[in-house]
Amino acid sequence: MSSGPPFRAEHVGSLLRPERLLKARAAAEGNQYRQARGPLHYAQLKEIEDDAIRDVVRLQEDVGLQVVTDGEFRRRSWFQDFLLALSGTEITFVDSAVSAALPFHDDSSVDKLPGHIVSVKQKLSRNKGIFTDHFAFLAQLTGRTPKISLPSPSMLHFWGGRAAIDSAVYPDIDEFWDDAVNIWSAEIAALHAVGCRYVQIDDVTFPLLCDPNGQAALRARGDDPMATLRTYASVLSRIAAAAPKGMTIAMHMCRGNNRGKWMASGGFEYVSEVVFQHVAIDHFFMEYDTGRAGDFAPLRHVPKGKRVVLGLVSSKTPILEARDELKRRIDAAAKFLQLDQLCLSPQCGFASNFMGNPVTVDDERRKLALVVETAREVWG
């Protein structure tokens, strides 16, 4: 097995919240939109979060994973908590004419198009560590490799484009990107200072750009999809270049994951050359659990020395994949990228927001164990 990170058997990060944590968070928050105060104080919620995280660390260790996360149990969603912790951001409604969001859907239903985004209304600033305390608590619970995930700064721009970044505050969009790079770099440096050596940047924008509907949404508001792709690649490269020595940076890419539904379809070909050869990140988690992700041919663009974590196991469904089928698909990927450059994981987290996917904790455990067992058989 790989000494990692990334390890041959990986997972993206978010895990199903236990019922007691869901109830506690609801009690603590009350109705946040009416700013009503819930009956449970945050100190009590934190105690319940702490206990739940201890349990989920044991779950990961018990199935044999060498990488451990806190399940993102202190977050409402994979991206909003971080973005809204920055000074200068707020949730706003977005005009459908400029929105690049695609509706979440599954094989039988389509959700209403998301109507709100995180916008930038003042100069961005980071007044303190955002996930540093989260990491410090996690690190003391395990002797394995703790990982923390951060949303990509592209999440501040992609959904609403230039309209999401107040032009009176940032008349020069490059200044916005400079501030974003500095903030993400500062958070990664602060994580390093408290012992973190493994950070994953989560980004759905690259796979959404692979969907012709995603490209059309950008063109409709006057943005060039390929120019947007190159801008995001440059921003991520600057963040990775500023990372402290010894910090492993990975990037996760998926097509949306919300209670078992997805946003986009389309193979990685449109973005593969730019992402693999021009983003200065060496490790890529890639959604490959269904035919919506296309074939493995885009992996031919991955340079030597970089790794791809194949997301072949679905976190969206309770159906357990057949081990032989996973091994067959790994062999198929190895026709385009050397086996030694490949790893295995679920395609995304099990709970990108606090509500989670339509699977049980037992389903989650079996799927994580399957990843570990299959990786052991493939790589030893």
Side-chain angles (χ1 to χ4, degrees):
M1 297 288 281
S2 168
S3 59
F7 299 91
R8 297 300 185 189
E10 275 280 350
H11 75 106
V12 171
S14 68
L15 297 166
L16 294 170
R17 279 70 158 172
E19 189 65 24
R20 68 185 185 280
L21 178 55
L22 292 174
K23 290 179 178 178
R25 180 170 287 279
E29 292 180 348
N31 188 328
Q32 65 171 348
Y33 297 106
R34 290 200 301 266
Q35 297 183 337
R37 185 174 180 179
L40 190 71
H41 294 300
Y42 179 73
Q44 295 170 285
L45 172 61
K46 184 178 182 303
E47 291 176 7
I48 296 170
E49 288 174 342
D50 289 352
D51 287 343
I53 290 168
R54 291 186 184 97
D55 289 344
V56 86
V57 166
R58 282 194 293 271
L59 183 154
Q60 294 166 83
E61 292 178 342
D62 287 348
V63 300
L65 287 164
Q66 296 303 308
V67 59
V68 172
T69 75
D70 65 358
E72 301 181 5
F73 280 7
R74 303 192 198 277
R75 310 187 199 185
R76 289 187 60 83
S77 81
W78 67 273
F79 73 100
Q80 284 191 349
D81 299 70
F82 187 91
L83 301 185
L84 292 173
L86 303 176
S87 295
T89 61
E90 61 183 69
I91 292 179
T92 62
F93 287 93
V94 61
D95 186 338
S96 60
V98 300
S99 175
L102 303 177
F104 279 103
H105 59 280
D106 56 21
D107 292 331
S108 60
S109 64
V110 179
D111 289 351
K112 184 179 179 182
L113 192 69
H116 60 273
I117 59 173
V118 178
S119 296
V120 176
K121 295 297 186 182
Q122 301 293 332
K123 286 280 188 179
L124 288 178
S125 65
R126 168 188 171 276
N127 300 322
K128 61 179 181 178
I130 298 172
F131 289 157
T132 46
D133 287 346
H134 296 193
F135 176 84
F137 180 80
L138 170 65
Q140 71 181 0
L141 299 179
T142 183
R144 311 223 177 148
T145 301
K147 177 173 75 171
I148 200 81
S149 62
L150 308 176
S152 171
S154 63
M155 301 306 298
L156 286 171
H157 178 271
F158 182 79
W159 305 120
R162 189 64 180 88
I165 317 298
D166 194 313
S167 59
V169 176
Y170 285 109
D172 182 352
I173 194 67
D174 289 341
E175 186 182 352
F176 158 75
W177 289 120
D178 289 345
D179 283 351
V181 168
N182 289 337
I183 285 169
W184 263 255
S185 299
E187 180 72 8
I188 291 171
L191 286 163
H192 185 272
V194 295
C196 181
R197 297 297 181 268
Y198 191 11
V199 167
Q200 175 184 294
I201 297 175
D202 292 333
D203 197 313
V204 302
T205 60
F206 294 120
L208 264 60
L209 284 170
C210 295
D211 189 318
N213 293 320
Q215 297 172 32
L218 262 65
R219 292 191 184 100
R221 72 185 187 202
D223 288 342
D224 179 342
M226 186 54 68
T228 301
L229 166 63
R230 293 186 181 281
T231 294
Y232 294 169
S234 173
V235 167
L236 288 169
S237 292
R238 291 167 63 190
I239 292 169
K245 185 177 180 180
M247 178 68 86
T248 296
I249 304 289
M251 181 168 73
H252 167 242
M253 297 179 285
C254 82
R255 292 162 179 77
N257 180 36
N258 182 11
R259 291 172 285 173
K261 298 183 178 183
W262 60 86
M263 275 188 170
S265 298
F268 286 100
E269 190 65 36
Y270 185 80
V271 303
S272 60
E273 190 169 0
V274 171
V275 169
F276 293 140
Q277 298 187 7
H278 298 285
V279 175
I281 289 174
D282 290 338
H283 314 294
F284 300 95
F285 286 69
M286 300 181 67
E287 174 184 325
Y288 264 119
D289 61 325
T290 70
R292 292 183 296 101
D295 60 25
F296 295 117
L299 301 184
R300 72 190 185 278
H301 293 300
V302 179
K304 291 184 181 299
K306 295 195 175 189
R307 277 190 174 174
V308 167
V309 184
L310 296 171
L312 302 179
V313 174
S314 178
S315 68
K316 290 182 168 71
T317 170
I319 298 171
L320 190 66
E321 290 77 4
R323 193 177 309 177
D324 286 346
E325 176 63 12
L326 294 178
K327 291 162 72 174
R328 186 195 67 77
R329 297 201 69 207
I330 292 169
D331 287 343
K335 290 179 170 59
F336 298 95
L337 184 63
Q338 291 184 9
L339 183 63
D340 190 54
Q341 290 178 260
L342 297 172
C343 305
L344 178 65
S345 78
Q347 100 292 347
C348 195
F350 288 86
S352 295
N353 61 42
F354 69 94
M355 291 174 282
N357 284 348
V359 297
T360 67
V361 172
D362 283 341
D363 296 329
E364 175 183 79
R365 182 184 294 107
R366 283 192 289 268
K367 284 176 177 271
L368 292 174
L370 176 64
V371 168
V372 172
E373 293 158 6
T374 305
R376 186 177 294 121
E377 290 186 11
V378 172
W379 290 281

